[in-house]
Every structure is written in structure tokens, then in C-alpha cells.
Amino acid sequence: EGREFRTVEQTSVMYGFAPEEQNGDIINDAVYERARKAEERFNITITPTVYEDYGTISSVVKQSVMSGDQVYDLVFGQMYQSGSDAQSGVFADWNDIPYVDFSKPWYVKSLNDAMVGGKLYMVESELSISYFQQTWMILYNKTKAEEISGFPDLYKAVEDGTWTLDELNRLTSDVYRDTNGDTKRDDEDFYGFAGTPGGCLVAAFLYGADGRLATVENGEVEQLITSERTIDVLEKLSKLFCSNEGTITKSDALSKTRRELFPKGVVLFEAMQVNDLLREDFGLRNMSDEFGVLPLPKYDEKQEEYYTVVDGGASVMVVPANHDNTGMVGAVVEAMSAMSYTDVIPKYIGMAVEQKGTRDEESIKIMREILDSRVIDFAYLYDGFKGWVMSLPAIIKNETAITSTIGSKMNAMDSYYNSVIEVLRSEE
């Protein structure tokens, strides 16, 4: 009936929910067309998206729900902030929203693992461009790899299931070169691996190796971080980030290793996000060396699938609890998610992987597989800057102290996660 559809999104996104006009950019125009098709199909008017920082989004949504106002129909809030806000009872349960079908491939396949007491307050689908953009993966310098004697075919390794954490450590440990000869490890030398050991990146490697932090069983928290497998994964990550001779790490929040080192051709492997491929300030499209896309490595060859997560700063979709027409929201989200899956995301993948006018078809195939491997669960979604995720860098800092460091934090973590469950279950 011509009703307006109002959205708010983080200012950090590269392509928003509904651009105001076409501009010749392939992705912008595909997203623009997606909105126009939804308007025509559902007889709605999609208003220009409001862009705010995640703290402002949180405040506005809370205030609007408490005051009874309906400011937005669909909110793209920051994942970890939204996980905290969900405990305030300001979001609708997606299980009560008509038309959405979480069995469809445009939703993250592990959404059920994010439910507490049967409630699902936040969802991810291909509709959220931010959730696509901030997916963790690995790039490798194909040109430099070809110069190393006996270097394996990594695409074949991925296909054969031999792309593991041990293999990454092996391939990177002996390739450091003091390129400028000044006897100092600096940005002009050549390294095997580069990464900023932040909580979300370390967690991405952990989940990639099928390690897990915590889950909820029958209303009780089960700490998985102390499992034999997770401890072993953390030890392997400690080697990679903290003691591998071929590794360079930086603590810069803007991830200097991604923005400044890999594009210069001085790193063999780099942990990256999908959006990095298109960022002008990274310059990967003009990189002189050829590069390829890889999933995060498995734990071992017995692990059946590759996995990854999306950075905790990505947008997650929520609906204000006081919304009076959730049927409209559900219909629009379902249809636009499908359109994203079939049209927008394939174009984004092709554009991202294309380099200097050439298309690496193997990387395009792997990119789609990476996106299909994204997982999400209770511990990751509800970290709220207080859970295990943000503690991981400190935990892996000293390989010999991993178990004791976890033990020193266990009481606080039990208390935090139990408080989350208690609050969320009280909303039932």
C-alpha cells in the first residue's frame, strides 16, 4: 500500500542497502536494481538508508522501542553491539516474523546455533553486504610462490583437503628474507605470513579449524574452549602468530599488514577480508604480483569441511521489537536476500577476484565456497566484547601458558555467558 521501508546501517559499509542512484559501478547498480525490484513487487517505497556509527544505531533503536516510536523497519547493527543490545529486549524474534525461510542458501547455514531458548534475535543473509564484505579468508602471492622450489599447488591442496594449519605453518616458517640487508625485520623484508592478532581474526582461524568456544545445552553453558581439540588449535595458532620465524604481526587497528604489506608483494600469505580486494586504499587491483584466494586452513585432513566467520564489526539484521508489520519486513528480507544471492553477490565475487583484467576462475570457485562455509554460534554472536573472542590474543600469546590463562578467566566467562542466557531466556 505504498508504505515506506526505512533502514539504518553502519557508516563503514562500502555498499549500502539502497543507493539513491545508479552511478555505473557494477555493484552499486546491482544493489540499486535490487531495491527497485522490491519496491515494485511489494508496493513499498524504500527510503534512502540512514548511515550512523554503531553506537548511535544502538541508542536510537533502544530509545525508539522504549518510547513506542517506529523509526526503522530493518536495522543493520554491528554484530557485537547488537549481541549486547539483544539482552535489553529491544529486538523481535525472527522466528515470529513471517515469510523468512532459514533453510534457504542465502542465510548463514548455522543460524540455529545462535538461538537461545528457541529465540533468534539476529540473522545474517546475503542481503547484508557488510556480512559478505567482512568474511575472513586468506590471500597468497602466486608470483612469489612460483619462485619457491617445491611449492605445492595450493588449489589442489584445498580440493584434496590437505590445506591445514600445520601446512600453513610449514610453508611460512622458512621463507623470511632480509631483503634490504640491514639485519632488521622491517617492512622491506619478505615474510611468510602476516596478520593482526585481533580477537576476530584469531577466532576466524579457530572456527576455521572447527574449534569452538562455548555452547548452550539445555539452558546451561558448556565451555568448549577447554576441549582437547580447541586447546590444540590454540597452540597451533600461537605458533603461527607468535613464534613462527616467517610471521610478521602488527597491532594497528586498521590492519597495516593487510593495507600496506601484502599489496607491496612482501608477504606470501595474508589473512584478509573480502572487501579488501576492492578497497582503493589497499590497491590490490593494481598489485604487480598475481595473487590467489584460499579458505582458512582446516585442523587436519580428517576435517570434512572448511569454515570461516565474519568479523564481529560486520552488520547483523535485527527488527525493532515494537514493529507493527513484521510480515512486510519478512517478505522484503526474504525476497531481497534471494536477489542478492542470485545476482548481487556473484557480480561482487567476479569483480573482487578479477585482477588486471584477468579472471582467476579457481579463486572465484573457492570464494563462493568460502562464503558457503561461514558459521555463527552463540559464543561468537553474543561475545559482546566480554566473551572468549576478545580474550583470544592474550590466550595465544604464550603457547606454554594457554591452559593456565584460560583457567584464570573461566569463572568470569562462566558468569558472563550465564548472565546472557538468563537475560535472553527472561524475554521468552
Side-chain angles (χ1 to χ4, degrees), residues 137-194:
M137 60 180 184
I138 287 183
L139 295 188
Y140 83 103
N141 189 313
K142 295 170 67 176
T143 301
K144 294 297 193 296
E146 291 172 358
E147 299 172 359
I148 300 174
S149 176
F151 201 84
D153 181 340
L154 292 180
Y155 290 144
K156 187 175 187 303
V158 170
E159 184 176 347
D160 293 344
T162 59
W163 175 234
T164 64
L165 277 175
D166 286 339
E167 180 72 348
L168 177 58
N169 264 313
R170 184 185 74 83
L171 293 174
T172 57
S173 60
D174 297 327
V175 299
Y176 169 75
R177 297 197 303 270
D178 183 12
T179 307
N180 58 13
D182 64 357
T183 70
K184 298 178 181 178
R185 292 170 66 93
D186 54 35
D187 291 1
E188 302 303 319
D189 295 339
F190 185 77
Y191 298 89
F193 173 78

Side-chain angles (χ1 to χ4, degrees), residues 73-139:
D73 299 291
L74 183 64
V75 177
F76 294 86
Q78 195 233 39
M79 185 188 300
Y80 282 174
Q81 182 64 56
S82 297
S84 177
D85 293 345
Q87 301 170 50
S88 302
V90 294
F91 301 148
D93 179 2
W94 279 92
N95 292 308
D96 297 331
I97 295 178
Y99 305 119
V100 291
D101 182 355
F102 297 131
S103 68
K104 298 297 185 182
W106 38 85
Y107 294 100
V108 178
K109 60 184 179 182
S110 59
L111 271 178
N112 285 342
D113 294 335
M115 288 199 293
V116 177
K119 301 291 185 177
L120 186 62
Y121 295 105
M122 297 168 280
V123 301
E124 295 287 12
S125 81
E126 302 287 34
L127 177 56
S128 175
I129 299 294
S130 171
Y131 194 69
F132 166 80
Q133 291 174 327
Q134 293 182 254
T135 300
W136 284 106
M137 60 180 184
I138 287 183
L139 295 188

